[in-house]
Every structure is written in C-alpha cells, then in structure tokens.
C-alpha cells in the first residue's frame, strides 16, 4: 500500500512538472503530414554540407583578398623601384649633361657618329624633359602595373641617352686634348726660336730667363687633361709677350741713342765748321794788317822835270784801320793812279 502511495505521489509530481513546462513554453502543434514532409526534405547530410560550403566560400573570399593584397603590394613596390631608377637617370644634373652633349657639333668631336647616335636617342626618349611617374597606394594594381611599365620603358630610353652623351663627351674631350697638345708644341717652338733671336736684344734679360723657365715647365706636361696643356700654352704666351715688349723697349732705346749720337755729331761738325770759318777770317785780317801802304808820287815826280833821285820808300807803318773800311773808303787805283768813278770828280794826271 505504501508503494502505491509513493508511485501516485511521483506521478503527481511529474504531472505537475509537465504542467509547469507547458505553461512556460506554449506548445507548437505540427501536423503529422508536415512533420513527415520536413523529415523527407532535409536529409541528415544537408546541414553538414551547407556548413562546409559556407566555410569554403568564406575561406575563398579571405584567400582572394590576401592574394589580391599581395599582388597590389608587389605592383606598388615594382612601380616605386622603376620610378627610382628612372629618377636616377633624369635628375636635374643628368639632364644638364644630356643638354650639353646634345649641343655638341660634328666638328667638335673626333668621331662624328657619336653626335648622330645622341640625336637619335634623344628623339626616341621624346625629348629631354623630366618624366612624370605616379606610384600611389590608392591606385589599383592595374594602374600601378601600367605606371611601372611606363617607367621601365623610359628608363631604358634614358639609359641609351646617357650612353650616347658619354660617348659624345669623350669624343669631344679627345679632340680638345689633341688640339691642346698641338697648340702647346707649336707655342714651344715659337718660344724657343724667340729665346735664341732675343739674345742681346732685350732691355731686361730677366724676361728671357722667365721664358726659358716656361719652356722647361711646358716640356714636363703629361696626362690626358687638356686644361694642363692649355694653361702651359697660356704661360708661354705671357712669357713671349714680355720678351717681345722688352725687345721693343731695347729697340726704342737704341733708336733714341742713335738719334742723340747723330745730333751730337752734327753739332760737333757745325761747331768745327764755324771754328774753321773764324780762323779763316782771322788769317785774312792779319794779312791785311801786315800789308804796305803805297807811296804817292810828289808833284815834281809827276812833272818829270827834275833830275834828282826819287826819295827812298817810306818805312811801313802799322795800319790800325779795318781792312773792310779801307776797301770801302779808299778810292780805287790803277797802278797807283786813281780810277775815275761815274758821278765822282777825278784828279788830273
């Protein structure tokens, strides 16, 4: 009896629990036909399959995103590398060198082909100008690849420009060096000849010493730098000019000395001639003072009637008058007889 009571109590509790559960969760009434159809439409393997498909799709999306991100990063890096390489060949300093080489003419180089190649390479690059390449993270992978390809193409073209420019510059420098050597050799020959010709013909012999020093220094120039030969040539020219100037000074000084000597000699000759003339005049004057005064006959002598002797000649007396005055004042005579002058009175006899 007791066991039956316990069983009833247990059943009552279970019934009460069921009542409570039903009260908390409203029952869902599913028709028996739908339940059977649902079990037929959803086999047991469908749910795992759906889950697997979802997992695969999600994994595929994640993987694609990772792959695309890697491709984008690679394209960005490739674009940046190409741009850096191109900038190294198209910087302002490099473009200036290309411009300089592009302006070199055929007659300035040893090899004219280098100038032709330079012109072609510049034309292929589209001219000498800074290229514009953009590599931004915001750009798509396709855009980055396009910019990278453009940069690589220009990089190759400017590499050809750089090579051609170096060839032009080297050819130009070679011809410049050759010309500098030729000019220096010619200038050394000129300086050596002048050094010999100017011996004893300069006002300052130190200029010839400087010329000899310049010749010696020019003979020691070596190497492939045209500037060294050009500077030696200029030094020789300066020394040559100084020697020529000193020779000119010496020539002018010699001419002045010769002119002064000639003037001195002429003055001496003039003085000598003047002295000779004075001596001649003095001698004539002395002879005039030593001459005799002619005696004039007396009246008895001119009459011829007397038979007495003629008086002795008078003793010469010194005449203190000037001989020119006598010539001007004394009347002219002929054998001691006065000569009549026109317009003057004449003496008888």
């Amino acid at each position: 009896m007791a066991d039956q009571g316990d069983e009833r109590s247990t059943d009552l509790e279970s019934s009460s629990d069921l009542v409570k559960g039903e009260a908390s969760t409203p029952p869902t009434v599913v028709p028996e036909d739908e339940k059977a159809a649902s079990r037929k439409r959803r086999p047991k393997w469908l749910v795992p399959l759906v889950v697997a498909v979802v997992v695969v799709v999600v994994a595929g999306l994640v993987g694609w995103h990772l792959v695309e991100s890697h491709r984008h990063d690679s394209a960005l890096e490739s674009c940046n590398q190409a741009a850096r390489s191109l900038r190294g060949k198209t910087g302002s300093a490099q473009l200036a060198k290309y411009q300089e080489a592009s302006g070199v003419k055929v007659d300035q180089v040893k090899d004219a082909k280098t100038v032709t190649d330079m012109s072609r390479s510049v034309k292929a690059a589209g001219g000498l100008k800074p290229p514009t390449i953009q590599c931004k993270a915001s750009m798509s992978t396709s855009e980055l690849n396009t910019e990278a390809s453009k940069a690589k193409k220009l990089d190759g073209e400017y590499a050809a420009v750089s090579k051609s420019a170096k060839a032009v510059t080297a050819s130009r420098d070679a011809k410049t060096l050759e010309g500098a050597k030729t000019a220096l050799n010619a200038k050394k020959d000129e300086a050596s000849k002048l050094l010999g010709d100017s011996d004893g013909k300069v006002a300052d012999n130190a200029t010839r010493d400087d010329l000899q020093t310049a010749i010696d220094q020019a003979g020691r120039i070596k190497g492939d730098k045209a500037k060294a030969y050009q500077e030696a040539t200029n030094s020789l020219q300066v020394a040559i000019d100084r020697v020529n100037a000193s020779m000119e000074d010496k020539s002018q000084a010699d001419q002045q000395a010769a002119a002064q000597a000639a003037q001195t000699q002429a003055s001496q000759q003039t003085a000598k001639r003047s002295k000779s003339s004075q001596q001649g005049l003095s001698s004539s004057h002395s002879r005039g003072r030593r001459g005799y005064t002619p005696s004039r006959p007396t009246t008895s002598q001119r009459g011829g009637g007397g038979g007495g002797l003629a008086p002795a000649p008078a003793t010469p007396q010194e005449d203190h008058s000037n001989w020119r005055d006598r010539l001007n004042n004394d009347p002219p005579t002929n054998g001691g007889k006065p000569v009549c002058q026109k317009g003057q009175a004449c003496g008888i006899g």
Side-chain angles (χ1 to χ4, degrees):
M1 295 295 293
D3 293 334
Q4 290 179 353
D6 294 336
E7 289 177 359
R8 290 193 185 103
S9 61
T10 301
D11 292 335
L12 291 172
E13 291 176 0
S14 298
S15 298
S16 63
D17 291 336
L18 290 172
V19 172
K20 292 178 179 179
E22 290 176 357
S24 61
T25 302
T28 302
V29 179
V30 179
E32 290 295 333
D33 294 337
E34 292 183 6
K35 289 181 179 180
S38 176
R39 283 194 297 268
K40 290 179 180 179
R41 288 195 301 269
R42 292 185 297 177
K44 295 180 179 180
W45 50 266
L46 182 60
V47 174
L49 178 61
V50 172
V51 172
V53 170
V54 171
V55 170
V56 170
V57 171
V58 172
L61 291 174
V62 172
W64 176 85
H65 179 74
L66 292 175
V67 171
E68 183 60 25
S69 178
H70 178 70
R71 289 179 57 196
H72 182 271
D73 293 342
S74 297
L76 180 61
E77 179 61 24
S78 177
C79 184
N80 286 327
Q81 288 180 355
R84 282 194 297 268
S85 178
L86 180 59
R87 282 195 297 269
K89 296 180 178 66
T90 57
S92 58
Q94 284 71 22
L95 287 176
K97 291 180 180 179
Y98 304 156
Q99 292 285 1
E100 179 184 358
S102 181
V104 175
K105 305 301 181 183
V106 175
D107 58 350
Q108 295 177 298
V109 296
K110 292 191 67 175
D111 185 4
K113 184 176 180 297
T114 58
V115 176
T116 303
D117 292 342
M118 180 67 189
S119 178
R120 290 176 179 173
S121 63
V122 171
K123 185 177 180 181
L128 300 175
K129 56 186 178 181
T132 302
I133 300 297
Q134 293 183 346
C135 299
K136 298 179 180 180
S138 60
M139 297 169 64
S140 66
T141 302
S142 177
E143 292 173 339
L144 290 172
N145 288 334
T146 300
E147 289 293 301
S149 298
K150 178 182 176 182
K152 290 177 181 178
K153 181 176 182 295
L154 286 173
D155 187 85
E157 293 170 348
Y158 273 98
V161 171
S162 178
K163 182 179 179 180
S164 298
K166 290 179 180 178
V168 168
T169 303
S171 184
R172 180 197 61 187
D173 293 345
K175 185 167 185 178
T176 301
L177 176 62
E178 182 180 20
K181 287 182 177 180
T182 301
L184 179 59
N185 290 331
K187 191 60 65 176
K188 284 193 297 185
D189 293 341
E190 179 185 351
S192 298
K193 183 177 183 303
L194 179 61
L195 187 65
D197 295 343
S198 62
D199 189 14
K201 299 178 181 180
V202 293
D204 184 5
N205 201 60
T207 57
R208 297 183 68 253
D209 295 337
D210 293 341
L211 180 59
Q212 181 64 66
T213 300
I215 294 173
D216 295 339
Q217 291 177 347
R220 293 192 292 268
I221 300 297
K222 296 180 180 180
D224 57 353
K225 299 298 183 182
K227 185 177 180 180
Y229 295 89
Q230 292 169 348
E231 290 177 349
T233 301
N234 293 337
S235 297
L236 277 174
Q237 186 61 56
V238 171
I240 287 173
D241 292 342
R242 289 175 178 173
V243 171
N244 285 330
S246 186
M247 291 178 66
E248 183 67 21
D249 293 342
K250 178 71 163 53
S251 176
Q252 292 180 358
D254 291 345
Q255 291 177 2
Q256 291 177 357
Q260 186 174 1
Q263 183 178 2
T264 301
Q265 184 178 5
S267 299
Q268 291 176 350
Q269 290 176 353
T270 301
K272 187 175 181 179
R273 286 195 297 270
S274 176
K275 184 177 181 181
S276 299
S277 299
Q278 292 176 358
Q279 289 177 350
L281 292 175
S282 177
S283 175
S284 299
H285 179 64
S286 297
R287 286 196 300 271
R289 292 173 60 187
R290 290 195 301 269
Y292 291 93
T293 302
S295 60
R296 296 184 179 183
T298 61
T299 303
S300 58
Q301 290 175 337
R302 286 196 301 269
L309 296 175
T315 303
Q317 297 181 357
E318 186 177 359
D319 188 0
H320 295 281
S321 63
N322 189 286
W323 64 278
R324 288 190 179 88
D325 296 337
R326 292 201 310 273
L327 290 176
N328 294 329
N329 298 328
D330 292 347
T333 59
N334 185 10
K337 296 181 180 181
V339 177
C340 294
Q341 299 275 333
K342 185 179 181 179
Q344 296 181 356
C346 295
I348 299 176

